[in-house]
Amino acid sequence: MAATADPSPPPDPGHDADEAAAALASERLRRALGPATVVRSTALSGGLYNAARLLELADGRRLVLKTAPRACTPALTHEQGLLGTEALFHRLAARAGAPVSTVLHHEPVGPDTPAEWLLLTHVEGTTWDAARDRIAPADRAALRHRLGECLARIATVTGAAYGYPRPSVGLSGPDWPSAFTAMLHAVLADAIRFEVALPAPPGLLADLPARFGHRLAEVRRPALVHFDAWEGNVVLARTGTGPWRLSGLIDGERAFFGDPLADLVGLDPLGSAEDDPDLMAGYHSVAPDRTIDTGARVRLALYRVYLALVMRVESVPRAYGGEFAAWLDTWSVDRVTEQLAALDALEA
């Protein structure tokens, strides 16, 4: 018998997965806020670790639901309870007067929750990264000033200890040298675990906190640090064709307590934000005593080594590929080599 054409299209696994994710999002929303009607649920792109959905409600609210990978998913040592860290960051940063999302609910991993999730208000606008080509020079200068001011204001928050805030991670300490040592040594151990070739001898890298411990010890207060405030995590908005304004900072999951100057590395991972006069003018409008002396430049170089190592090592468990993976491999080698040379020069 001849086959007849089936008028219905074949099942779309991607569509089915999206529908399932939307249904789960609605269920979580009801658990967090009670009866609520989702009129639209859209997957958001741009994140490299957590999944996120924009939930548009019948009452006009727009919320973001973030879901972490399951606890068994391969990850770096510090990537535990990241959404709990993000919830903490947003709550503390809001108290300091920074423009951030409001935390509505955080659900940690538990018997009935295989992956933690977080519900936030949506920051309206577009990311700086997406709007970059439409920003006039005068707007950019004003925005960089405002960004520097916001980060300095966030850094007025003081933690109970130094390092990553989730106790289960075990990467904290009573002082900044001990906490940073644990953080750096953890990513070096992750490199061994994931068989990632390091851009410099492991012993040389592991010895950096001891070699420059006197500079790390200059940090006397565990300040709140976003550490990922690059242009993809800064949201801008404007009215019509008017000037751009800073609408908010998002994705505080990488936050820790330590040297406030580390945020200059996180917001400009490819450059040197401390040499931007507009940014630093805004920063010093809140923290005039935070100068960039030799000790600060040593610490900035250490944080650049750390960030480059994190970005290099995370590429394996996250299975980066293509041009981005190739670029990251080359860039991380160049960045670490450059910063080690800077440390040698500063020490001399």
Side-chain angles (χ1 to χ4, degrees):
M1 178 168 42
T4 58
D6 184 348
S8 62
D12 179 356
H15 176 72
D16 291 345
D18 190 67
E19 282 194 341
L24 180 59
S26 295
E27 177 188 326
R28 288 175 171 173
L29 180 67
R30 286 191 295 272
R31 188 194 309 183
L33 302 182
T37 302
V38 178
V39 296
R40 183 176 300 169
S41 175
T42 310
L44 297 175
S45 61
L48 297 176
Y49 188 74
N50 299 304
R53 298 191 73 85
L54 174 63
L55 308 180
E56 300 179 65
L57 309 189
D59 60 12
R61 285 180 293 172
R62 287 157 58 88
L63 311 178
V64 172
L65 175 68
K66 300 186 71 172
T67 304
R70 288 175 175 260
C72 60
T73 303
L76 273 60
T77 300
H78 74 272
E79 293 179 322
Q80 299 177 35
L82 289 185
L83 292 183
T85 296
E86 180 164 1
L88 176 66
F89 170 83
H90 285 300
R91 287 173 175 138
L92 295 177
R95 293 175 197 166
V100 293
S101 300
T102 298
V103 177
L104 301 176
H105 185 83
H106 170 243
E107 190 79 19
V109 172
D112 300 320
T113 309
E116 68 170 338
W117 53 275
L118 176 66
L119 187 65
L120 304 159
T121 58
H122 180 253
V123 177
E124 301 297 335
T126 185
T127 64
W128 190 324
D129 187 49
R132 185 186 299 121
D133 294 339
R134 292 174 282 155
I135 301 174
D139 279 359
R140 184 186 184 280
L143 289 168
R144 292 288 281 186
H145 188 285
R146 174 66 173 143
L147 179 57
E149 176 190 335
C150 285
L151 293 175
R153 197 169 300 285
I154 288 168
T156 63
V157 177
T158 302
Y162 293 84
Y164 289 104
R166 311 310 294 174
S168 60
V169 176
L171 301 181
S172 60
D175 52 56
W176 184 227
S178 64
F180 183 72
T181 299
M183 292 162 62
L184 180 63
H185 286 186
V187 76
L188 295 176
D190 289 333
I192 295 172
R193 182 159 55 100
F194 291 114
E195 300 181 341
V196 179
L198 291 168
L204 185 153
L205 295 170
D207 188 53
L208 289 175
R211 179 180 163 194
F212 296 101
H214 61 296
R215 294 304 189 185
L216 293 169
E218 292 172 355
V219 179
R220 304 296 177 84
R221 183 178 63 86
L224 181 62
V225 177
H226 184 289
F227 204 55
D228 198 19
W230 72 289
E231 292 178 351
N233 287 334
V234 179
V235 180
L236 308 180
R238 70 195 304 196
T239 302
T241 58
W244 291 94
R245 64 184 184 279
L246 197 155
S247 183
L249 301 179
I250 60 175
D251 289 358
E253 64 200 29
R254 304 288 169 179
F256 57 75
F257 293 101
D259 186 349
L261 292 180
D263 252 338
L264 300 181
V265 174
L267 74 87
D268 190 8
L270 307 185
S272 52
E274 68 273 17
D275 297 324
D276 182 329
D278 298 314
L279 182 92
M280 294 311 296
Y283 195 91
H284 287 141
S285 70
V286 175
D289 58 337
R290 213 163 288 153
T291 57
I292 307 298
D293 56 13
T294 300
R297 291 192 181 276
V298 166
R299 298 195 304 276
L300 287 168
L302 291 174
Y303 309 149
R304 290 190 172 110
V305 169
Y306 174 68
L307 180 58
L309 292 175
V310 168
M311 293 173 68
R312 182 182 181 87
V313 176
E314 73 182 13
S315 67
V316 173
R318 296 188 190 180
Y320 295 161
E323 293 183 1
F324 179 70
W327 170 83
L328 183 56
D329 185 71
T330 300
W331 170 81
S332 59
V333 171
D334 292 345
R335 187 64 157 173
V336 170
T337 302
E338 166 196 88
Q339 296 306 308
L340 291 176
L343 286 168
D344 288 340
L346 288 164
E347 187 180 42

